[in-house]
């Protein structure tokens, strides 16, 4: 029985309406992204990551992983390959350090494929304040990290993030000192916790999706958030972004146990883009909307105790003869009819979720046109016909299409 009703242009489905959380151990910070690579050459590293508190924090825990999602090959989740010894601190305010402990010790040995959750760290961080997490890693075989290169600016230098790594000789700077980032060929990698949690009543969100949900071709600004979902969620609530370049629902179904486990720290799940399954060409799977919707049902089934949302696609996939300066000179994807059918099905409401966010309308020239919105300039909303540019990501955020008050409302 379908019990949907309209809310402006957004259809709400009263399904999988797990209760809003009471006090729980939940994600209370922004800018959590998972490792996407490893190095067997570099075995030591210092990192400093920047986060905004999305609740008043009096004590928090951090989780540190020894696994990664292999971005270079669009998965799968892979173990680090050997033990990593971690030390960490919370830096708040800037220049003031509080030691992180693990079962009372100042370091933790994390086996390949595992993660470690710290003890509670007593530190008072007001809601909305910036703080930093410093981590020192010494690996037996390989360090894991979030890689950064063209299109993936993962280190937020403007907000004080830093990452220094080497085969040996890296000193522990968790309790003080300046971390100077390695800069090699424009790459800007980082390592950050896989969760920052505290006792909270606020909503928190696990983001699932592909490169557009991860923020490919986006650029950091003062918000510190990237991509078509985190830019809207981050100003209000903490999130864990497990989206990755090239990911597909079929791949998530096959290997996602470690990413799915992070849902234990989140009250809500937003399942984003499915373009790689639908589109024709490149790494596209050229599937029917019906096939992808069936995969979506399987993914939703992984989170029966969470309040789940879906989204329409964060943009079409076209070619252009004038660098996407006009609508007329774009050619739609060969599987555009199925892309449109998928978006329409999301709008109609799917079982297993309580609603959706309409983001396709913010970057498409018109609903179901199959073409990118334009602003008269070359590459106005896309740089390559597949990935949203920063203007597109900002258009989604500024539209209010992802209404974060819906995370707090019973029945929505």
């Amino acid at each position: 029985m379908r019990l949907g009703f309209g809310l402006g242009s957004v259809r709400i489905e009263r399904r999988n309406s797990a209760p809003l959380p009471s006090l729980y151990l939940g994600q209370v910070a922004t800018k959590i992204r998972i490792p996407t690579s490893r190095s067997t050459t570099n075995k030591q590293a210092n990192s400093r990551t920047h986060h905004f508190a999305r609740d008043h924090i009096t004590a928090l825990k951090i989780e540190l992983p020894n696994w990664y999602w292999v971005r270079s090959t669009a998965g799968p989740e892979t173990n680090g390959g050997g033990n990593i010894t971690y030390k960490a601190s919370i830096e708040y305010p800037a220049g003031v350090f509080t030691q992180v402990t693990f079962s009372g010790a100042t370091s933790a040995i994390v086996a390949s494929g595992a993660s470690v959750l710290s003890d509670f760290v007593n530190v008072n961080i007001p809601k909305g304040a910036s703080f930093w997490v410093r981590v020192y890693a010494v690996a037996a075989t390989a360090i894991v990290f979030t890689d950064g290169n063209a299109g993936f600016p993962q280190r937020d230098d403007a907000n004080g993030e830093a990452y220094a790594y080497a085969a040996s000789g890296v000193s522990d700077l968790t309790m003080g000192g300046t971390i100077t980032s390695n800069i090699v060929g424009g790459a800007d990698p980082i390592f950050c916790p896989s969760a920052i949690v505290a006792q909270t009543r606020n909503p928190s969100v696990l983001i699932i999706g592909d490169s557009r949900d991860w923020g490919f071709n986006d650029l950091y600004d003062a918000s510190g958030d990237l991509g078509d979902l985190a830019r809207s969620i981050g100003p209000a609530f903490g999130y864990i972004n497990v989206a990755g370049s090239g990911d597909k629902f079929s791949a998530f179904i096959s290997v996602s146990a470690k990413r799915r486990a992070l849902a234990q720290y989140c009250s809500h799940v937003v399942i984003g883009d499915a373009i790689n399954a639908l589109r024709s060409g490149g790494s596209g799977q050229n599937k029917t909307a019906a096939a992808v919707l069936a995969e979506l049902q399987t993914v939703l089934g992984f989170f029966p105790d969470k309040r789940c949302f879906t989204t329409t696609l964060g943009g079409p996939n076209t070619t252009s003869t004038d660098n996407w300066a006009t609508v007329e000179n774009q050619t739609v994807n060969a599987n555009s009819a199925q892309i449109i059918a998928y978006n329409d099905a999301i709008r109609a409401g799917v079982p297993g979720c309580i609603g959706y966010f309409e983001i396709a309308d913010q970057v498409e020239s018109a609903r179901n046109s199959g073409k990118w919105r334009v602003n008269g300039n070359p590459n106005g909303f896309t740089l390559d016909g597949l990935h949203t540019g920063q203007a597109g990501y900002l258009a989604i955020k500024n539209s209010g299409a992802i209404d974060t008050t819906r995370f707090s409302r019973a029945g929505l």
Side-chain angles (χ1 to χ4, degrees):
M1 179 179 179
R2 181 172 295 174
L3 297 175
F5 62 92
L7 181 66
S9 62
V10 179
R11 182 181 178 84
I12 309 302
E13 295 295 314
R14 291 188 181 275
R15 299 173 176 176
N16 196 28
S17 296
L20 289 168
S22 54
L23 194 66
Y24 73 112
L25 188 65
Q27 177 68 20
V28 290
T30 62
K31 298 176 67 175
I32 293 297
R33 54 275 205 205
I34 57 174
T36 57
S37 190
R38 71 170 183 168
S39 173
T40 57
T41 299
N42 299 299
K43 296 183 175 65
Q44 297 180 355
N46 274 307
S47 62
R48 182 181 191 247
T49 54
H50 170 256
H51 310 274
F52 287 107
R54 291 302 175 223
D55 198 355
H56 179 73
I57 299 170
T58 57
L60 60 77
K61 295 186 176 190
I62 64 172
E63 183 183 275
L64 302 174
N66 186 0
W67 58 271
Y68 65 109
W69 188 85
V70 191
R71 186 181 71 83
S72 61
T73 56
E77 293 174 355
T78 302
N79 297 341
N83 290 346
I84 299 178
T85 301
Y86 286 121
K87 297 180 71 175
S89 69
I90 307 302
E91 184 180 350
Y92 177 80
V96 177
F97 305 92
T98 303
Q99 181 81 60
V100 175
T101 61
F102 307 87
S103 299
T106 59
S107 64
I109 299 174
V110 184
S112 175
S115 299
V116 64
L117 187 65
S118 76
D119 302 331
F120 272 113
V121 181
N122 294 319
V123 57
N124 284 291
I125 305 175
K127 182 178 181 180
S130 287
F131 68 99
W132 294 263
V133 177
R134 291 196 179 202
V135 178
Y136 177 60
V138 177
T141 304
I143 55 172
V144 296
F145 57 94
T146 303
D147 61 326
N149 55 27
F152 272 78
Q154 290 307 308
R155 192 177 63 241
D156 185 1
D157 296 311
N159 278 309
E161 293 194 334
Y163 190 55
Y165 54 90
S168 63
V170 177
S171 299
D172 172 15
L173 297 180
T174 54
M175 296 301 290
T178 300
I179 302 173
T180 302
S181 297
N182 297 60
I183 301 176
V184 180
D188 56 354
I190 194 68
F191 172 84
C192 77
S194 48
I196 301 174
V197 297
Q199 293 296 320
T200 184
R201 290 185 172 86
N202 284 352
S204 54
V205 181
L206 182 73
I207 298 171
I208 296 170
D210 63 14
S211 54
R212 300 198 288 206
D213 307 303
W214 187 242
F216 191 87
N217 281 340
D218 203 355
L219 297 170
Y220 274 120
D221 56 19
S223 74
D225 302 312
L226 296 174
D228 55 12
L229 299 179
R231 276 189 173 276
S232 295
I233 296 167
F237 300 121
Y239 63 84
I240 299 174
N241 193 348
V242 301
S245 178
D247 206 4
K248 310 171 183 71
F249 291 161
S250 58
F252 192 87
I253 291 165
S254 177
V255 183
S256 60
K258 299 181 192 305
R259 287 172 290 169
R260 282 154 43 194
L262 294 169
Q264 68 184 296
Y265 305 125
C266 298
S267 60
H268 292 68
V269 175
V270 178
I271 301 171
D273 226 301
I275 191 65
N276 292 318
L278 289 161
R279 71 188 183 94
S280 176
S283 62
Q285 293 180 306
N286 202 37
K287 291 185 175 181
T288 65
V292 181
L293 288 163
E295 292 172 346
L296 173 60
Q297 285 302 304
T298 301
V299 175
L300 286 163
F302 290 144
F303 308 103
D305 61 338
K306 304 298 176 183
R307 300 169 64 83
C308 297
F309 287 87
T310 55
T311 76
T312 53
L313 303 185
N317 183 200
T318 71
T319 58
S320 171
T321 58
D322 61 4
N323 293 316
W324 296 275
T326 65
V327 173
E328 294 76 16
N329 287 327
Q330 295 182 49
T331 300
V332 302
N333 186 266
N335 207 36
S336 184
Q338 296 303 314
I339 294 171
I340 290 169
Y342 178 87
N343 278 341
D344 282 344
I346 294 297
R347 292 171 181 130
V350 296
C353 66
I354 59 172
Y356 79 99
F357 295 113
E358 179 56 74
I359 61 177
D361 282 355
Q362 317 314 318
V363 291
E364 215 172 4
S365 63
R367 177 169 288 190
N368 293 341
S369 71
K371 296 183 178 182
W372 286 94
R373 181 179 168 186
V374 300
N375 59 13
N377 299 314
N379 305 115
F381 276 78
T382 179
L383 279 65
D384 57 12
L386 176 60
H387 299 100
T388 313
Q390 189 181 55
Y393 291 123
L394 287 171
I396 293 169
K397 175 185 177 180
N398 294 337
S399 72
I402 301 175
D403 177 4
T404 56
T405 65
R406 295 174 66 196
F407 294 123
S408 302
R409 285 187 249 159
L412 296 186

